[in-house]
């Protein structure tokens, strides 16, 4: 308990993503749980993580979480699916107990798997994500742990992140690429689809059009916000007390371009963004 007791002020919530995509999750936190102090860290100098090796993703994730701990977060949410898929389990089982036994790190996969598995209409579940997320098999593992009868079909969609970052959300090439990624899942007649990447909610309308009416595309940010609310209630020992709504932003690359994009994503003005070295 020393770590916690000695740091009574560590009552902030950290939100980490490889880049800006995690702002889609932060946006929901700010809407559904406004009265907390958040710190958002986007590792924009090293994004994308989606095509990197498990070892690199693990070491980058540890650096980011440690930065947020040092800034006063007792709880860090890894909003990045790739980092959640490739690093979280090992980080929770090995690094955290040895280094920060009283702090907590949560990811996005468990809450999404739980939301999907508890809806009994979801028998065949599709998952799209980066190469690293899909190669980890984390979604299949988490969903099957909850209900082994469910069928899970995972599909890597590596070109979507660069297209979204280039702002080509409604472009013809994005539609063609989306159709080819979604075709194998359509052929399996999936009845729900997980958008297992921070960026994909920006393509939600287009995805829904292609995949058809029968498929539910859950709003991942909402699900994660609901799960965080519940977690905070169950873990008063983390001392994450409600505070005047605030969010500080950190980036590992140019703060100016971060600010422009983040203000567009969040639809609000951001006062200060600091550049840091991880
Ligand atoms: N944030 C990543 C994810 O959710 C997408 C961007 C990246 O590849 O780093 O998987």
């Amino acid at each position: 308990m020393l770590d916690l007791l000695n740091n009574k002020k560590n009552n902030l919530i950290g939100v980490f993503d490889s880049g800006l995509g995690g702002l889609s999750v932060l946006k929901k936190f700010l809407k559904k749980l406004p009265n907390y102090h958040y710190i958002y860290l986007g590792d924009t100098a090293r994004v994308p993580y989606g095509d990197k090796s498990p070892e690199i993703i693990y070491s980058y994730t540890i650096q980011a979480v440690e930065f947020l701990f040092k800034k006063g977060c007792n709880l860090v949410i890894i909003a990045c699916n790739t980092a959640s898929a490739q690093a979280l389990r090992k980080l929770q089982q090995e690094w955290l107990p040895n280094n920060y036994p009283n702090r907590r790190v949560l990811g996005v996969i468990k809450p999404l798997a739980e939301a999907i598995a508890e809806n009994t209409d979801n028998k065949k579940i599709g998952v799209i994500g980066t190469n690293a997320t899909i190669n980890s098999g984390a979604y299949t593992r988490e969903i099957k742990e909850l209900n082994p009868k469910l069928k899970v079909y995972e599909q890597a969609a590596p070109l979507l992140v660069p297209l979204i970052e280039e702002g080509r959300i409604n472009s013809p090439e994005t539609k063609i690429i989306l159709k080819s990624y979604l075709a194998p899942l359509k052929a399996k007649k999936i009845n729900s689809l997980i958008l297992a990447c921070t960026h994909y909610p920006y393509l939600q309308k287009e995805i829904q059009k292609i995949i058809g009416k029968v498929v539910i595309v859950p709003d991942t940010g909402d699900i994660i916000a609901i799960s965080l609310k519940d977690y905070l209630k169950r873990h008063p020992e983390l001392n994450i007390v409600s505070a005047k709504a605030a969010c500080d932003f950190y980036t590992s690359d140019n703060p100016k371009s971060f600010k422009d994009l983040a203000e567009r994503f969040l639809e609000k003005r951001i006062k200060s963004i600091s550049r840091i070295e991880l």
Side-chain angles (χ1 to χ4, degrees), residues 2 4 9 72 85 146 151 156 250 269:
L2 269 182
L4 254 190
K9 276 168 105 193
L146 294 163
K151 295 236 178 313
Y250 292 88
R269 301 271 305 150

Side-chain angles (χ1 to χ4, degrees), residues 17-19 21-22 47-51 79-83 130 133 161 165 196-199:
D17 182 46
S18 54
V47 72
Y49 283 16
D51 292 312
C80 177
N81 274 268
T82 301
T130 63
T133 297
V161 167
E165 300 228 321
C197 174
T198 46
H199 288 56

Side-chain angles (χ1 to χ4, degrees), residues 32 43 55 97 100 107 112 136 142 227:
K32 291 195 183 289
D43 189 7
E55 297 75 28
Y100 297 91
L112 295 179
S136 76
E142 292 286 350
S227 143

